[in-house]
Amino acid sequence: MTVQLRPGDPITVDVALAGRAYDIVIGRSLLAGLGARVAALRPGARVAIVTDDNVAKQHLAQAEASFAQAGIEASRIIIPAGEASKCYAVFERVCEDIVAARIERGDLVVALGGGVIGDLAGFAASTVRRGVDYVQVPTTLLAQVDSSVGGKTAINSRHGKNLIGAFHQPVLVLADTALLDTLPERIMRAGYAEVAKYGLISDADFFAWLEANWRDVFAGTAAREHAIAVSCRMKADIVARDERETGDRALLNLGHTFGHALEAAAGFSDRLYHGEAISIGMVLAFAFSARRGLCSPADAERVVRHLAAVGLPTRIAEIPGERPDADRLIELIGQDKKVKRGRLTFILARGIGKSFIAPDIDVADVREFLTGQLA
Ligand code: NAD
């Protein structure tokens, strides 16, 4: 775990990818300096800012002012907020608008928004003119600790989420933690599930720190920057080791096998946000690990206690509306993950901070476990 810095110091995390290394800069009120950073990184470039209508209302003016101050020509592309915008029609519009804004090689796309904007604008940047560079300015907690880092970009297909996409690393990530002050509390909480995930994957000290300091992370003190920096550092390390997810990067999917199935069962709607699904998914991954004698029931209980204290859902029963049965969840898991001869790869845990890739889990065991959870 990193040492906590003084409030006000921006923290820089390096994503060490050979030939495509970039910085994640984390701190309060950094948006005003975005133009100056872009001017230093890419002198003479013009930019197209892609954002959604919610974020535009709150933060676009400041982003545009910072570009104007740095003498950078900036166009704006505003799309409707929400997951539904990760589709072909909006992707086409964004690509056409980027071309119309005369963004050429050497210019930049700027993704100003949450994970939806980062995924969509990043994917558009990866394809327009066979690839232009882009900057991530994440405005949700989830985007600051997860989706803006690592270069996965995508839109959704009728066959499933994120099926049409590309690996395309940004050239800079600017995480202004003050932007989270305007985030609705439920969306902030959902993003927090991904922060807790990093502790659960491989940093028990960080998890214990979160148990003691989570209120300050929400309040927006220096604890928020610290939590985001620790999370980004862990993601950056994993991505640098395994950019294309052929090994370790899969650890970042802790809670995601159950979580994605629950999200799909809830129709990817606001009945259950992604982070909320991951919260329940991590609880299930630890309960399943405890049932197999891999981790102690006390550790599994600690996970539930912390996520519930924060206000995140921890049980399938908390999802409003119709509840799926175990067979339906298994079917959805099978659509999301490869099942080979009745076996699945899961991320399980030997304790808090001790997650590992378990490649040979019997689907029948998972069904039995889920039946018990739904009883
Ligand atoms: P989101 O982008 O839809 O943002 C959530 C809501 O918050 C939206 O209504 C948005 O308009 C609003 N919002 C954003 N910033 C705001 C601010 N500062 N103030 C007020 N409102 C604000 O959702 P998200 O949770 O950020 O991201 C979810 C997406 O991220 C999903 O599509 C998921 O697939 C993707 N994702 C991608 C990766 C990756 O590695 N690429 C990782 C995890 C998740």
Side-chain angles (χ1 to χ4, degrees):
M1 196 177 49
T2 54
V3 175
Q4 194 161 338
L5 298 180
R6 288 191 309 280
D9 283 347
I11 305 169
T12 300
V13 175
D14 169 40
V15 185
L17 286 163
R20 285 163 301 127
Y22 56 94
D23 286 344
I24 308 164
V25 187
I26 301 153
R28 231 185 142 75
S29 306
L30 296 179
L31 186 57
L34 173 64
R37 284 181 193 273
V38 165
L41 192 71
R42 205 49 68 81
R46 62 162 68 87
V47 303
I49 307 170
V50 183
T51 192
D52 72 31
D53 43 16
N54 288 337
V55 179
K57 271 183 222 125
Q58 303 281 358
H59 305 296
L60 180 58
Q62 198 190 5
E64 287 179 332
S66 96
F67 285 122
Q69 204 168 20
I72 294 173
E73 197 184 311
S75 330
R76 46 158 76 177
I77 300 168
I78 303 175
I79 61 154
E83 184 70 26
S85 282
K86 278 175 59 172
C87 66
Y88 289 105
V90 177
F91 172 70
E92 178 185 349
R93 206 200 109 190
V94 170
C95 289
E96 292 295 332
D97 285 359
I98 291 172
V99 174
R102 293 181 296 132
I103 297 298
E104 301 185 359
R105 298 258 182 92
D107 296 326
L108 290 167
V109 170
V110 175
L112 174 70
V116 165
I117 289 295
D119 280 11
L120 176 69
F123 183 42
S126 80
T127 59
V128 168
R129 297 185 189 278
R130 300 193 181 87
V132 296
D133 286 340
Y134 74 116
V135 171
Q136 290 269 19
V137 185
T139 64
T140 63
L141 181 58
L142 179 136
Q144 294 195 350
V145 299
D146 190 359
S147 61
S148 68
V149 177
K152 280 189 181 175
T153 72
I155 58 170
N156 301 328
S157 137
R158 76 174 69 87
H159 298 288
K161 247 175 87 92
N162 298 328
L163 292 181
I164 314 296
F167 283 95
H168 189 48
Q169 299 290 345
V171 293
L172 171 71
V173 180
L174 190 88
D176 179 344
T177 58
L179 302 185
L180 307 185
D181 293 347
T182 59
L183 209 55
E185 210 172 301
R186 186 177 162 202
I187 296 175
M188 181 78 181
R189 270 201 303 270
Y192 182 87
E194 302 280 3
V195 176
K197 182 186 79 176
Y198 292 106
L200 295 176
I201 291 173
S202 64
D203 193 338
D205 288 349
F206 181 50
F207 189 77
W209 182 89
L210 287 172
E211 287 175 311
N213 295 285
W214 67 269
R215 286 184 184 78
D216 290 336
V217 175
F218 280 78
T221 64
R224 182 184 286 174
E225 278 93 273
H226 176 69
I228 293 169
V230 173
S231 304
C232 285
R233 199 161 286 137
M234 196 182 302
K235 179 148 187 189
D237 283 351
I238 292 178
V239 168
R241 281 204 304 273
D242 178 21
E243 185 182 3
R244 301 268 163 158
E245 198 169 315
T246 52
D248 266 13
R249 188 165 178 168
L251 286 172
L252 296 169
N253 296 333
L254 174 66
H256 282 61
T257 302
F258 289 124
H260 280 165
L262 295 171
E263 259 187 296
F268 295 105
S269 68
D270 58 10
R271 275 171 64 202
L272 187 69
Y273 289 155
H274 175 73
E276 294 171 334
I278 297 317
S279 172
I280 301 173
M282 292 189 299
V283 167
L284 292 174
F286 269 77
F288 189 55
S289 301
R291 180 184 131 105
R292 296 170 75 85
L294 291 164
C295 90
S296 71
D299 271 1
E301 190 43 45
R302 214 175 127 195
V303 177
V304 175
R305 237 188 351 261
H306 179 53
L307 296 172
V310 166
L312 280 161
T314 57
R315 290 174 300 123
I316 299 174
E318 289 175 71
I319 304 171
E322 202 187 326
R323 215 183 311 155
D325 62 15
D327 284 338
R328 175 70 182 136
L329 287 176
I330 292 291
E331 188 189 324
L332 291 167
I333 286 174
Q335 282 169 18
D336 184 48
K337 295 271 175 311
K338 243 184 257 154
V339 180
K340 281 189 215 139
R341 287 186 217 93
R343 321 293 280 190
L344 260 173
T345 296
F346 255 87
I347 310 304
L348 297 181
R350 296 196 175 89
I352 286 172
K354 294 182 189 151
S355 296
F356 66 100
I357 301 168
D360 200 23
I361 300 298
D362 189 344
V363 173
D365 270 3
V366 181
R367 181 182 284 107
E368 200 183 299
F369 166 73
L370 284 172
T371 304
Q373 292 290 316
L374 286 158

